[in-house]
Amino acid sequence: MQRHAPASYALLAPPADPAEVEAAQEAMGVRFPADLLESLACHDGITAWANLVPDQPPSSVAGIVDHWRMCVEIAEEDAEEAEDADPTEPAGEREPWWHPQWIPWAQSDGDSQIIDMREGPGRGRLGNAAHDDVGCFDDGWPSLAVYLTAVADALDHGGVVDGDVPYLTAKGELWWTVPGRTELNGAPLTPAPRTEPRVHRSAGPSAAGQGTPGRRGART
């Protein structure tokens, strides 16, 4: 990233303060999964909005706590939330608008990509929490590590993630958008260069390569 998208590389924040990470977990009453801890140990989100990943941009620790607290407060104040459910839906099949054990690791304009830390088989999965809808995990990912691995693979070898592919702008920015785009606001878009031949990569917490926000040594 430093070579081909220097403007985006410059927005990667330094590692999060471990004490701040611990304080955030205490404040939220939820332990962060290992893949999120590793991501924050590389970069505490980004310093300004940027289209560095196909979905919402990663938040800082402070941003995670602020968005989580706002959503918890809104959910608690919304006395009509339970009455909004469709009475014909079986109980338990509809996700809430917000849950205190969701971690908004990435967010923009009130919408967030969340890590579900509720007990059960879905623990650690990624989903989406829109500001005007209930939470959704239908098109999510099994974990943050799997998602970041897919992003890194697309940067290294090409590919589509959540409907988008990586490009470079004329200003030295990484930009994700739908395949086939050739310009952005009248300026040219060029496909992000592939950096290495495809090899098998595991989906562990450190497997998301070096071309992904939240991972060290970005190469794109």
Side-chain angles (χ1 to χ4, degrees), residues 16 24 28 33 41 67 111 120 139:
M28 295 168 59
H67 190 78
D111 299 335
D139 298 318

Side-chain angles (χ1 to χ4, degrees), residues 63-220:
I64 290 172
V65 175
D66 287 347
H67 190 78
W68 176 89
R69 183 174 287 122
M70 178 189 71
C71 291
V72 168
E73 290 175 354
I74 291 173
E76 289 176 348
E77 293 171 359
D78 189 0
E80 298 180 356
E81 180 66 26
E83 299 176 6
D84 291 337
D86 183 347
T88 65
E89 284 189 6
E93 291 189 7
R94 185 175 186 267
E95 292 291 348
W97 178 81
W98 188 258
H99 193 284
Q101 291 188 359
W102 289 350
I103 303 172
W105 93 279
Q107 69 90 20
S108 179
D109 297 326
D111 299 335
S112 57
Q113 189 175 47
I114 52 177
I115 304 173
D116 185 7
M117 294 305 293
R118 293 173 294 183
E119 294 291 341
R123 185 179 176 88
R125 62 181 174 168
L126 257 63
N128 293 285
H131 70 279
D132 58 353
D133 203 351
V134 296
C136 180
F137 296 91
D138 293 344
D139 298 318
W141 294 82
S143 69
L144 177 60
V146 172
Y147 172 70
L148 293 179
T149 297
V151 172
D153 281 345
L155 290 170
D156 284 343
H157 318 298
V160 180
V161 180
D162 287 348
D164 290 343
V165 296
Y167 292 87
L168 300 178
T169 73
K171 296 181 179 180
E173 301 165 311
L174 177 62
W175 195 270
W176 291 80
T177 188
V178 295
R181 286 285 296 275
T182 58
E183 64 177 42
L184 176 69
N185 299 325
L189 281 176
T190 58
R194 301 181 184 183
T195 60
E196 62 182 29
R198 183 177 294 278
V199 294
H200 175 72
R201 177 182 292 160
S202 67
S206 61
Q210 299 175 358
T212 310
R215 301 298 175 193
R216 298 187 188 278
R219 290 180 303 217
T220 297

